[in-house]
Amino acid sequence: MTKIRFPANSAQVTDAPWAGTLLLFPALSPLLPMAASLLILTDFFQAANRALDYATNLAGPLKARLVLLHVRRDSILDPEMFTGQLSNLGQEAISLALSGVASHLPVPVVAEVGHGRIAFAVADAVARHHPQLVVLGRADHSGTPNELVETTSLDILRTTPYPMLVVPHSVGSTAPPRRVLLAVDGENFTLGEHAGSARQFLAALGAELVVGHVVANRRSGELPPSVLDSVLRTGLALELPPVCTRKVVHEDAADGILQAAQPEDFDLVVLIARQRSFMGNLFHRSVTAQVLLESKIPVLVLPAK
């Protein structure tokens, strides 16, 4: 991690336990610690800017600060190092860009620069800041077959399984979600150490929660009680309006979720990602990967134990 020198109106902290981090606060905000944070990755392109707008609007109801992380991908092991896909900003340009972005945000901000592979830089930042969520933008990969796209989100999940919010570059609104689709497979699950932060996230939004389950047979009848019970046991629905369920008929689970998660019906889709789905070599074929790559609305991935 690199310390960046910003203009005089920024607040630099050099003698704190997180020395090397630059704290940026709006002019009228008190320099007070905050209980929650959101870690946002930025490369200053459209998708990252859209994700930052989305995270900024979430910070209000969550009472959270933002941790703005730019990663200089200067590792010779980075697969995109020689493809021309990486920005080649120098240290001074990065400083100016971060300063410009942070100075216009209405919430407290911590700005940092990491180095090397993104997934490892994120793991380091997560270990130090313990954010509620890792937030990143999904760029336009429409010209590339999905099976050839090794997205940052998938790499991060494999390296540091952590609640992650992926915002598509084309998302129409960055307002906090009011209607949430929680897609489940009907099996019991636990969120382990992330259960509390996931509950706090949904409770702070006060959104309507719909539990969705994909079935292959149109004649399967009503959803079994175990589908809703698998969610209620986790406490995710505490402090929320009454939860309802939705049956989605489709032979393919990922396509069924994508069919249901339309912008006119929902603002956010939540996936429960089991370890077997994001640790295997065929991860790019998993339901989680397909929804992350193709969803028209933001996707919140909650790693399950």
Side-chain angles (χ1 to χ4, degrees):
M1 183 185 64
T2 301
K3 177 180 175 181
I4 303 176
R5 194 171 296 279
F6 282 90
N9 60 349
S10 299
Q12 295 189 30
V13 179
T14 58
D15 57 352
W18 53 87
T21 301
L22 178 75
L23 298 185
L24 300 177
F25 288 83
L28 299 180
S29 296
L31 196 63
L32 294 175
M34 301 188 72
S37 66
L38 302 174
L39 175 64
I40 302 95
L41 277 73
T42 182
D43 56 8
F44 312 114
F45 292 126
Q46 178 190 2
N49 292 338
R50 179 64 62 160
L52 178 59
D53 290 342
Y54 197 93
T56 301
N57 287 328
L58 283 179
L62 296 178
K63 297 181 174 58
R65 67 177 182 176
L66 303 182
V67 180
L68 191 60
L69 175 65
H70 175 79
V71 182
R72 295 194 68 185
R73 296 172 66 175
D74 46 15
S75 169
I76 61 173
L77 300 178
D78 195 314
E80 294 187 7
M81 174 56 66
F82 302 107
T83 65
Q85 299 298 314
L86 303 182
S87 65
N88 194 27
L89 296 178
Q91 192 67 52
E92 184 176 355
I94 293 172
S95 300
L96 291 173
L98 281 173
S99 178
V101 169
S103 64
H104 292 92
L105 296 176
V107 295
V109 183
V110 175
E112 296 184 357
V113 177
H115 293 267
R117 293 293 297 273
I118 290 180
F120 300 126
V122 168
D124 173 67
V126 163
R128 289 182 288 105
H129 294 284
H130 305 288
Q132 275 192 301
L133 304 171
V134 175
V135 184
L136 62 154
R138 191 192 75 206
D140 183 7
H141 291 302
S142 57
T144 308
N146 284 351
E147 57 269 21
L148 299 181
V149 177
E150 186 69 9
T151 64
T152 299
S153 56
L154 307 187
D155 199 18
I156 290 173
L157 268 178
R158 277 199 292 260
T159 306
T160 309
Y162 206 84
M164 182 174 60
L165 177 65
V166 179
V167 182
H169 72 285
S170 58
V171 67
S173 172
T174 57
R178 302 302 306 161
R179 199 153 195 261
V180 177
L181 174 65
L182 172 57
V184 296
D185 58 13
E187 299 178 22
N188 289 332
F189 65 93
T190 176
L191 299 177
E193 64 194 86
H194 305 304
S197 60
R199 283 196 295 267
Q200 292 169 12
F201 175 81
L202 293 174
L205 295 178
E208 178 184 354
L209 184 65
V210 177
V211 175
H213 180 65
V214 180
V215 297
N217 190 340
R218 188 176 298 276
R219 293 172 294 179
S220 59
E222 296 297 320
L223 291 179
S226 60
V227 172
L228 181 57
D229 288 345
S230 69
V231 175
L232 297 180
R233 284 195 193 96
T234 67
L236 285 175
L238 292 176
E239 303 181 50
L240 291 180
V243 178
C244 59
T245 60
R246 173 178 291 191
K247 180 177 71 173
V248 181
V249 180
H250 205 289
E251 293 183 356
D252 182 83
D255 288 341
I257 295 170
L258 291 168
Q259 173 183 288
Q262 295 298 314
E264 56 268 25
D265 297 319
F266 295 100
D267 309 307
L268 176 72
V269 57
V270 181
L271 302 178
I272 306 300
R274 299 183 184 278
Q275 191 173 39
R276 62 176 181 262
S277 75
F278 57 77
M279 295 304 289
N281 292 329
L282 298 180
F283 182 37
H284 63 282
R285 297 185 184 178
S286 70
V287 172
T288 302
Q290 186 175 338
V291 175
L292 278 176
L293 288 167
E294 299 182 22
S295 177
K296 297 177 182 178
I297 61 177
V299 180
L300 173 61
V301 180
L302 299 177
K305 297 293 184 181

